[in-house]
Amino acid sequence: MERINVTSPLLPQLENFQPYLEDIWNRKWLTNNGHYHQELEKALCEYLKIDYISLYTNGTLPLITALQALRITGEVITTPYSFCATTHSIWWNGIKPVFVDIDPKTCNLDPEKIEAAITPRTTAIMPVHCYGIPCDVEAIEEIANKYGLSVIYDAAHAFGVEYKGRSILNYGDMSTLSFHATKVYNTVEGGALVTHDAKTKKRIDFLKNFGFADEVTIVAPGINGKMDEIRSAYGLVNLKQVDEAIILRKKIVETYCDGLNNIAGIRHLDYSNKNIKHNYAYFPIFIDKEKYGISRDELYEKLKENNIYGRRYFYPLISNMTTYKGYDSAHPDNLPIANKLADEVLCLPIYKDLKLSEVEKIVSLIKGFRN
């Protein structure tokens, strides 16, 4: 078997991308809110069923900007079970992250544990739609309203996900997206910040362009977060094929689930909720060593020996990283579920070009490794 990685980027057909490159060359406008940048914002608003979106050069800067735009200070309640960019964005704004444990079934921030973490310094909640599975947005909204807190969703995994027929991006005060090459939809590197009114979008667009309101007026200490024309065009071409990619990913997930359902010690996420339109961003499994017979790390290495390269995603926990482990909320005793899942998780390969026969081979190997 050839080497199989956990993911592979959604690549535009070269013959479809070439005309865009030629047009960019002819326009001689490479960045700064160019033609294709504007076209991609319009197309994404329509596809994602949202009103306002601001494109960024990566997925981390929208998180940093969201906290700036909402003028968040003090403490922000967040999850330890995410990519480090989530918490880094809080740190970069001089805000204290407060970690709360997660729900074992969804891997998302557990609403039942949020209230106990709220202090007079708490100003916001930053949950993550982990693996593209929506958070309990209704419970989080109720808590936020009760205590007057802002909610910023890290929706890096949740491109195209809907809950009860509504885009998951329409919940909270703001949501951020990542268009990194490993995501369901990508612009090579890129990201976006989603908001709900024109005034806020205008402020965000100032902040992502050094704070410029016009040629001579700077209204805020902004940054350079703009997406260029080439990646905007790349995104327009990829948007035309993302639906097909999601359909193929769904078939892969169904094949994994059918093959793994009866293996003792192997658990996967539940995709049966009819209220959710999934994007099948990742396929994590969780290995119970006592029931399966070998540990997650042993399975990880055995698969690598067979040219199958999964990913321990998310491991290590953010709360166990040197930068953050000194916080009281980061102590493992406060986060038993997150620590357990971080030690058990292994994301298996999933991308649109992965053959179902290869998925069946992976399942067969996992069955065969069980002691």
Side-chain angles (χ1 to χ4, degrees), residues 249-312:
R249 296 172 81 102
K250 180 182 180 182
K251 292 178 181 178
I252 292 167
V253 165
E254 290 172 344
T255 304
Y256 271 133
C257 290
D258 289 344
L260 297 172
N261 276 341
N262 297 316
I263 303 179
I266 299 290
R267 179 177 71 86
H268 58 76
L269 297 178
D270 180 9
Y271 297 92
S272 64
N273 189 334
K274 301 300 182 183
N275 287 322
I276 300 172
K277 177 185 174 184
H278 292 283
N279 69 359
Y280 308 98
Y282 296 88
F283 190 80
I285 60 173
F286 302 89
I287 296 94
D288 183 330
K289 181 179 178 180
E290 297 303 315
K291 295 179 181 179
Y292 182 63
I294 62 174
S295 70
R296 183 274 310 277
D297 289 341
E298 290 173 307
L299 175 58
Y300 171 73
E301 294 297 335
K302 285 180 177 290
L303 288 172
K304 279 206 299 185
E305 290 169 5
N306 287 269
N307 280 331
I308 298 162
Y309 287 74
R311 186 176 178 188
R312 293 166 290 189

Side-chain angles (χ1 to χ4, degrees), residues 24-88:
I24 292 168
W25 181 268
N26 291 331
R27 288 175 183 273
K28 296 180 174 59
W29 191 330
L30 300 181
T31 187
N32 278 29
N33 198 34
H35 173 76
Y36 289 114
H37 181 284
Q38 295 178 48
E39 288 297 306
L40 183 56
E41 285 195 344
K42 292 175 186 175
L44 287 173
C45 281
E46 181 177 352
Y47 181 87
L48 296 170
K49 302 178 183 178
I50 55 177
D51 293 326
Y52 301 97
I53 192 167
S54 296
L55 298 178
Y56 277 78
T57 191
N58 60 50
T60 303
L61 290 175
L63 288 165
I64 293 173
T65 308
L67 292 160
Q68 285 281 321
L70 292 172
R71 298 177 173 88
I72 303 301
T73 60
E75 297 176 352
V76 171
I77 292 171
T78 191
T79 172
Y81 193 82
S82 180
F83 186 62
C84 58
T86 306
T87 309
H88 285 355

Side-chain angles (χ1 to χ4, degrees), residues 73-260:
T73 60
E75 297 176 352
V76 171
I77 292 171
T78 191
T79 172
Y81 193 82
S82 180
F83 186 62
C84 58
T86 306
T87 309
H88 285 355
S89 69
I90 297 170
W91 185 94
W92 273 100
N93 277 283
I95 302 166
K96 179 181 179 181
V98 176
F99 298 109
V100 166
D101 211 0
I102 61 176
D103 183 301
K105 293 182 179 179
T106 66
C107 303
N108 291 329
L109 200 61
D110 188 343
E112 293 186 2
K113 297 172 183 174
I114 291 176
E115 284 196 78
I118 295 173
T119 74
R121 288 177 48 79
T122 306
T123 56
I125 307 170
M126 186 181 279
V128 177
H129 300 301
C130 194
Y131 306 127
I133 304 297
C135 294
D136 189 340
V137 291
E138 291 153 338
I140 291 172
E141 182 178 7
E142 183 177 344
I143 294 168
N145 289 341
K146 180 178 178 181
Y147 290 93
L149 305 177
S150 298
V151 178
I152 300 167
Y153 282 106
D154 182 339
H157 298 174
F159 185 89
V161 172
E162 296 180 9
Y163 176 63
K164 294 183 178 179
R166 182 185 181 197
S167 172
I168 202 68
L169 303 173
N170 284 314
Y171 291 89
D173 295 280
M174 294 183 186
S175 293
T176 69
L177 290 163
S178 170
F179 302 149
H180 185 268
T182 58
K183 299 298 190 287
V184 171
Y185 165 83
N186 79 86
T187 60
V188 185
E189 281 273 10
L193 182 48
V194 176
T195 189
H196 312 309
D197 64 88
K199 182 179 179 181
T200 305
K201 175 177 165 50
K202 187 175 183 180
R203 173 169 168 76
I204 289 165
D205 288 344
F206 288 158
L207 288 172
K208 77 172 187 181
N209 186 26
F210 302 103
F212 278 107
D214 57 43
E215 188 176 349
V216 296
T217 307
I218 294 179
V219 297
I223 53 176
N224 183 11
K226 307 180 300 295
M227 180 182 285
D228 60 74
E229 284 292 88
I230 293 174
R231 280 184 286 179
S232 297
Y234 191 102
L236 281 166
V237 179
N238 263 351
L239 194 59
K240 297 175 182 178
Q241 59 183 14
V242 70
D243 284 335
E244 177 192 2
I246 291 172
I247 290 170
L248 293 171
R249 296 172 81 102
K250 180 182 180 182
K251 292 178 181 178
I252 292 167
V253 165
E254 290 172 344
T255 304
Y256 271 133
C257 290
D258 289 344
L260 297 172

